Amino acid sequence: MKKRLLAGPIALALGAALTVVPATQAQAGHAAQPYTLWYDEPAPDSNEGWETRSLPIGNGAMGATVFGGVQAERLQFNDKTLWTGGPGVSDYNYGNWDAPRPGALEAIRERIWKEGGISPNDVLAALGHKSDTPRHRRFGAYQSFGDVRLAFPGLPAQVADYRRELDISRGVAGVSFTAGGVRHTREYFASAPAGVVVARVAADRPGGVTFTARIAVPANRSATAAATEGRITVKGALSSNAMAYEAQLQVLNQGGTRTDNSDGTVTVTGADSVVLILGTGTDYAPDYPTYKGEDPHAKLTARVDAAAAGGYAKLLSAHRADHAALFDRVRLDLGGSLPAVPTDDLLARYGTAPAADRALEQLFYQYGRYLLIASSRPGSLPANLQGVWNVLEAPPWQSDYHLNINLQMNYWPAEMTNLAELAEPLHAYVDGLREPGRVTAKQMFGADGWVAHHASNIFGHTGAWDHPAYFFPESGAWLSLQLYDHYRFTLDKQFLKRTAYPVMKETAEFWHDFLQTDPRDGRLVAIPSRSPEIGPTTAGAGAAMSQQILWHLFTDLREAAELVGDRKQAAAAGDVLAKLDPGLRVGRWGQLQEWKEDIDDPAETHRHVSHLFSVHPGRQVSPRTTPELAEAAKVSLNARTDAGTGWSKAWKINFWARLLDGDRAHKLLSDQLQTSTLANLWDTHPPFQIDGNFGATSGMTEMLLQSHLGVIDLLPALPAAWADGRVSGLRARGAHTVGLAWTSGRLSEARLTAGDGGTVKLRSDAFRGGVRVTTDRGRPVAYTADGDTVTFRTRPGGDYRIVPAGR
Ligand code: FUC
């Protein structure tokens, strides 16, 4: 699978443009670094090269990918706010109807009651908005901002000791090689504190750096380029919607000369080293209804000026401190040992050597955390389908926010892998959907509250999209649950009061209006209702996923209302719950039903497994609490098979972990690595889609620690392949931090740092033989043990050590 650029005479004979001789670990002076992706060749300068081999860096708002070409370096870059479509396009209307459709909802409901399931096409025809022509004209798509291109005229085609790498623990990418006896190095990072992308190009011979820098942008916009005092400014507006954009690249040379060229490029000649500082901005603002803010020029200039004034060393140390403060919180050791092979080879050989396999799994795990750190920082938009990285003008699925699994999955690892603050963009985004979502709720359904459908953009698109698969008014409810889960993990009462609770309450207002009484059994059901994207029939009433999401919504709302002292709301939620169909039924072949009617096809292998929402991310079904339903869930999951897109496999890791089958969860992880992971370790649907990276990190964590049932479950789904290991810094609901060590598949020690104090209950099979609980200083702590659980009182911030007897 590996494409290797040819070295030596053969390449020359073929007239290859570029030849690199790879560095061995020893030559390059690198010990095997557990958190480094590395390659012995550049990424090809093509869209496919970008997708499969470029290396991503990002600061949340901006992203960039490193290609590492020797003579022609390319740094493709993004800014999450650069989108086509939206209010800048004529007749954009947030996905709402272009004209009133009196009685549309009632007519559809009447048909469903009469005919049972009806075609999803009919629902969409009645309720969906008119198609965009040409497609996505109004909805828009996430854009590539452009490329920084560096042309090195003096470098030869053939170089030695080539290495391209990304150290995810430092958040720094690098390229190095030797040409004509000179060692050339390039370093890249995206700084969140400084709000810019930074590069340093150097050589170990004085005066060894000569190149011309330019910024290239795609054709779908106006563009002017100018260079003054080493600053390249490229600006213009998107043709689609007149969104103003601007990129500035400051070139700072150490030694040599620097020339501003009249074509907007900058040439550096004979420098010892050069620092590049790249900033971007648009006139987007996350404010309904215009989503337009000020021209980006002034703020962008100030940002790039400030970064340039700080100097490289300061920028790098501030970045490293900022990155480490997040990345270093979790350590995972599965006993892996990284062989001295490039990461693409490591991936290709996965499954052949246990120590190397474990090393790749550790790397893949932390890569999920790295990608979240790089693509989701407070104050920016949430990570989209590709995080923050996109090279195309028309990316797959617009690189948008799909709300029927994908955006949710992006944030599954945030809380439990100790990156809770990185979920702020999700919270702000969901909060921001309320205003447009109120209009949609009124217009389509005559309902109070707010609603969004299966996919949205950065311009408040809350209507139902123009595809029959995509009627999904439950997305807002699902997203609200994730806000409440942030509270459960952090116990942040301010967040509950100010953000989560108002969102949940308003979501529920919609459902109070939307839910109808099913004449067949008197239960409250969603109608129309559908299991996301799956055929053949039906948009009927009370599909399992709709009901399960709503059970969680009203259960959590009741709890939240009690916490904030809103007794009226708690009672109203309780009233709904008393009548709500909870969406849990075992069908004729022993399956957990996907539909209210027992019509599931055992041969259906669709990638969405929506009716297992109750297993994950939900908590209605578990082998611990509802063994029969858990068995039924397994029947359904087995019928779906282990196949699927990248994100589907990732979800299945989470399912099997929650079903306490570690070996099966691990098998799905192996499948994902072998069949749904690209050379740069990005998840592939195909094509590249980032949710699977986040979903896999979440699933691996669920194998080690679960806390969704009010008990902190230690190593609930440990696979045989992970016989020995340790992990630290995981978060459990209740604001606890947990570390674990195990040998021969058995817990040897747990450490717990209590957040707010209170009583904790831990579970492990290893506790059955007895247990010892002490403070970290060894003072005994009073506890009660019961079978596989141990319960004790904690004080806020207290550190505890829990050791099974015989360990
Ligand atoms: C959902 C999935 C597709 C894809 C898209 C972005 O609709 O069904 O597989 O992931 O989102």
PDB file of all heavy atoms in Angstrom, residues 30-45:
ATOM      1  N   HIS A  30      16.815  10.090  16.297  1.00  0.00           N
ATOM      2  CA  HIS A  30      15.559  10.007  17.029  1.00  0.00           C
ATOM      3  C   HIS A  30      15.418   8.643  17.672  1.00  0.00           C
ATOM      4  O   HIS A  30      15.471   7.636  16.988  1.00  0.00           O
ATOM      5  CB  HIS A  30      14.367  10.195  16.098  1.00  0.00           C
ATOM      6  CG  HIS A  30      14.272  11.569  15.545  1.00  0.00           C
ATOM      7  ND1 HIS A  30      13.733  12.612  16.240  1.00  0.00           N
ATOM      8  CD2 HIS A  30      14.660  12.077  14.360  1.00  0.00           C
ATOM      9  CE1 HIS A  30      13.792  13.706  15.509  1.00  0.00           C
ATOM     10  NE2 HIS A  30      14.354  13.407  14.356  1.00  0.00           N
ATOM     11  N   ALA A  31      15.241   8.638  18.952  1.00  0.00           N
ATOM     12  CA  ALA A  31      14.827   7.386  19.588  1.00  0.00           C
ATOM     13  C   ALA A  31      13.362   7.201  19.216  1.00  0.00           C
ATOM     14  O   ALA A  31      12.703   8.154  18.813  1.00  0.00           O
ATOM     15  CB  ALA A  31      14.974   7.515  21.081  1.00  0.00           C
ATOM     16  N   ALA A  32      12.854   5.973  19.293  1.00  0.00           N
ATOM     17  CA  ALA A  32      11.440   5.763  18.990  1.00  0.00           C
ATOM     18  C   ALA A  32      10.612   6.573  19.983  1.00  0.00           C
ATOM     19  O   ALA A  32      10.733   6.409  21.182  1.00  0.00           O
ATOM     20  CB  ALA A  32      11.111   4.293  19.094  1.00  0.00           C
ATOM     21  N   GLN A  33       9.827   7.489  19.461  1.00  0.00           N
ATOM     22  CA  GLN A  33       9.040   8.357  20.338  1.00  0.00           C
ATOM     23  C   GLN A  33       7.602   7.896  20.299  1.00  0.00           C
ATOM     24  O   GLN A  33       7.007   7.830  19.230  1.00  0.00           O
ATOM     25  CB  GLN A  33       9.161   9.803  19.857  1.00  0.00           C
ATOM     26  CG  GLN A  33      10.568  10.341  20.000  1.00  0.00           C
ATOM     27  CD  GLN A  33      10.902  11.398  18.978  1.00  0.00           C
ATOM     28  OE1 GLN A  33      10.310  11.427  17.893  1.00  0.00           O
ATOM     29  NE2 GLN A  33      11.837  12.241  19.300  1.00  0.00           N
ATOM     30  N   PRO A  34       7.056   7.584  21.470  1.00  0.00           N
ATOM     31  CA  PRO A  34       5.732   6.954  21.464  1.00  0.00           C
ATOM     32  C   PRO A  34       4.646   7.828  20.869  1.00  0.00           C
ATOM     33  O   PRO A  34       3.638   7.334  20.414  1.00  0.00           O
ATOM     34  CB  PRO A  34       5.473   6.676  22.942  1.00  0.00           C
ATOM     35  CG  PRO A  34       6.410   7.545  23.696  1.00  0.00           C
ATOM     36  CD  PRO A  34       7.596   7.743  22.814  1.00  0.00           C
ATOM     37  N   TYR A  35       4.848   9.137  20.884  1.00  0.00           N
ATOM     38  CA  TYR A  35       3.783  10.020  20.435  1.00  0.00           C
ATOM     39  C   TYR A  35       4.144  10.753  19.159  1.00  0.00           C
ATOM     40  O   TYR A  35       3.728  11.879  18.935  1.00  0.00           O
ATOM     41  CB  TYR A  35       3.435  11.020  21.540  1.00  0.00           C
ATOM     42  CG  TYR A  35       2.844  10.348  22.748  1.00  0.00           C
ATOM     43  CD1 TYR A  35       3.246  10.678  24.026  1.00  0.00           C
ATOM     44  CD2 TYR A  35       1.878   9.363  22.595  1.00  0.00           C
ATOM     45  CE1 TYR A  35       2.695  10.050  25.128  1.00  0.00           C
ATOM     46  CE2 TYR A  35       1.330   8.716  23.687  1.00  0.00           C
ATOM     47  CZ  TYR A  35       1.751   9.069  24.955  1.00  0.00           C
ATOM     48  OH  TYR A  35       1.201   8.441  26.037  1.00  0.00           O
ATOM     49  N   THR A  36       4.927  10.115  18.318  1.00  0.00           N
ATOM     50  CA  THR A  36       5.311  10.769  17.064  1.00  0.00           C
ATOM     51  C   THR A  36       4.863   9.936  15.866  1.00  0.00           C
ATOM     52  O   THR A  36       5.147   8.745  15.787  1.00  0.00           O
ATOM     53  CB  THR A  36       6.834  10.993  17.018  1.00  0.00           C
ATOM     54  OG1 THR A  36       7.185  11.855  18.101  1.00  0.00           O
ATOM     55  CG2 THR A  36       7.250  11.642  15.712  1.00  0.00           C
ATOM     56  N   LEU A  37       4.136  10.582  14.967  1.00  0.00           N
ATOM     57  CA  LEU A  37       3.867   9.984  13.657  1.00  0.00           C
ATOM     58  C   LEU A  37       5.030  10.415  12.768  1.00  0.00           C
ATOM     59  O   LEU A  37       5.374  11.611  12.763  1.00  0.00           O
ATOM     60  CB  LEU A  37       2.584  10.539  13.046  1.00  0.00           C
ATOM     61  CG  LEU A  37       1.229  10.122  13.617  1.00  0.00           C
ATOM     62  CD1 LEU A  37       0.966  10.790  14.963  1.00  0.00           C
ATOM     63  CD2 LEU A  37       0.118  10.519  12.645  1.00  0.00           C
ATOM     64  N   TRP A  38       5.648   9.501  12.057  1.00  0.00           N
ATOM     65  CA  TRP A  38       6.737   9.942  11.172  1.00  0.00           C
ATOM     66  C   TRP A  38       6.762   9.135   9.878  1.00  0.00           C
ATOM     67  O   TRP A  38       6.272   8.002   9.818  1.00  0.00           O
ATOM     68  CB  TRP A  38       8.078   9.934  11.891  1.00  0.00           C
ATOM     69  CG  TRP A  38       8.644   8.586  12.204  1.00  0.00           C
ATOM     70  CD1 TRP A  38       8.323   7.808  13.268  1.00  0.00           C
ATOM     71  CD2 TRP A  38       9.635   7.867  11.461  1.00  0.00           C
ATOM     72  NE1 TRP A  38       9.049   6.647  13.237  1.00  0.00           N
ATOM     73  CE2 TRP A  38       9.868   6.658  12.138  1.00  0.00           C
ATOM     74  CE3 TRP A  38      10.353   8.141  10.284  1.00  0.00           C
ATOM     75  CZ2 TRP A  38      10.779   5.706  11.674  1.00  0.00           C
ATOM     76  CZ3 TRP A  38      11.263   7.203   9.828  1.00  0.00           C
ATOM     77  CH2 TRP A  38      11.476   5.994  10.532  1.00  0.00           C
ATOM     78  N   TYR A  39       7.361   9.749   8.874  1.00  0.00           N
ATOM     79  CA  TYR A  39       7.338   9.209   7.508  1.00  0.00           C
ATOM     80  C   TYR A  39       8.693   9.490   6.882  1.00  0.00           C
ATOM     81  O   TYR A  39       9.357  10.465   7.234  1.00  0.00           O
ATOM     82  CB  TYR A  39       6.217   9.866   6.696  1.00  0.00           C
ATOM     83  CG  TYR A  39       4.891   9.682   7.397  1.00  0.00           C
ATOM     84  CD1 TYR A  39       4.512  10.546   8.427  1.00  0.00           C
ATOM     85  CD2 TYR A  39       4.064   8.596   7.124  1.00  0.00           C
ATOM     86  CE1 TYR A  39       3.340  10.346   9.142  1.00  0.00           C
ATOM     87  CE2 TYR A  39       2.891   8.385   7.835  1.00  0.00           C
ATOM     88  CZ  TYR A  39       2.543   9.260   8.844  1.00  0.00           C
ATOM     89  OH  TYR A  39       1.394   9.044   9.561  1.00  0.00           O
ATOM     90  N   ASP A  40       9.054   8.657   5.944  1.00  0.00           N
ATOM     91  CA  ASP A  40      10.358   8.869   5.318  1.00  0.00           C
ATOM     92  C   ASP A  40      10.228   9.458   3.923  1.00  0.00           C
ATOM     93  O   ASP A  40      11.108   9.321   3.086  1.00  0.00           O
ATOM     94  CB  ASP A  40      11.162   7.558   5.303  1.00  0.00           C
ATOM     95  CG  ASP A  40      10.371   6.420   4.676  1.00  0.00           C
ATOM     96  OD1 ASP A  40       9.354   6.711   3.996  1.00  0.00           O
ATOM     97  OD2 ASP A  40      10.756   5.261   4.860  1.00  0.00           O
ATOM     98  N   GLU A  41       9.129  10.115   3.676  1.00  0.00           N
ATOM     99  CA  GLU A  41       8.919  10.768   2.384  1.00  0.00           C
ATOM    100  C   GLU A  41       7.878  11.873   2.541  1.00  0.00           C
ATOM    101  O   GLU A  41       7.089  11.856   3.494  1.00  0.00           O
ATOM    102  CB  GLU A  41       8.426   9.736   1.353  1.00  0.00           C
ATOM    103  CG  GLU A  41       7.170   9.037   1.805  1.00  0.00           C
ATOM    104  CD  GLU A  41       6.840   7.799   0.981  1.00  0.00           C
ATOM    105  OE1 GLU A  41       7.554   7.510   0.013  1.00  0.00           O
ATOM    106  OE2 GLU A  41       5.848   7.143   1.318  1.00  0.00           O
ATOM    107  N   PRO A  42       7.869  12.817   1.603  1.00  0.00           N
ATOM    108  CA  PRO A  42       6.851  13.877   1.659  1.00  0.00           C
ATOM    109  C   PRO A  42       5.474  13.324   1.304  1.00  0.00           C
ATOM    110  O   PRO A  42       5.362  12.216   0.764  1.00  0.00           O
ATOM    111  CB  PRO A  42       7.302  14.866   0.573  1.00  0.00           C
ATOM    112  CG  PRO A  42       8.681  14.464   0.178  1.00  0.00           C
ATOM    113  CD  PRO A  42       8.806  13.008   0.487  1.00  0.00           C
ATOM    114  N   ALA A  43       4.426  14.074   1.608  1.00  0.00           N
ATOM    115  CA  ALA A  43       3.088  13.742   1.106  1.00  0.00           C
ATOM    116  C   ALA A  43       3.018  14.226  -0.336  1.00  0.00           C
ATOM    117  O   ALA A  43       3.470  15.339  -0.627  1.00  0.00           O
ATOM    118  CB  ALA A  43       2.036  14.453   1.936  1.00  0.00           C
ATOM    119  N   PRO A  44       2.501  13.415  -1.255  1.00  0.00           N
ATOM    120  CA  PRO A  44       2.368  13.890  -2.639  1.00  0.00           C
ATOM    121  C   PRO A  44       1.528  15.172  -2.698  1.00  0.00           C
ATOM    122  O   PRO A  44       0.568  15.321  -1.938  1.00  0.00           O
ATOM    123  CB  PRO A  44       1.644  12.731  -3.338  1.00  0.00           C
ATOM    124  CG  PRO A  44       1.909  11.534  -2.491  1.00  0.00           C
ATOM    125  CD  PRO A  44       2.019  12.039  -1.083  1.00  0.00           C
ATOM    126  N   ASP A  45       1.901  16.047  -3.597  1.00  0.00           N
ATOM    127  CA  ASP A  45       1.214  17.334  -3.708  1.00  0.00           C
ATOM    128  C   ASP A  45      -0.055  17.165  -4.539  1.00  0.00           C
ATOM    129  O   ASP A  45      -0.127  17.568  -5.700  1.00  0.00           O
ATOM    130  CB  ASP A  45       2.157  18.359  -4.354  1.00  0.00           C
ATOM    131  CG  ASP A  45       1.567  19.758  -4.341  1.00  0.00           C
ATOM    132  OD1 ASP A  45       0.412  19.919  -3.914  1.00  0.00           O
ATOM    133  OD2 ASP A  45       2.266  20.688  -4.776  1.00  0.00           O
TER     134      ASP A  45
END
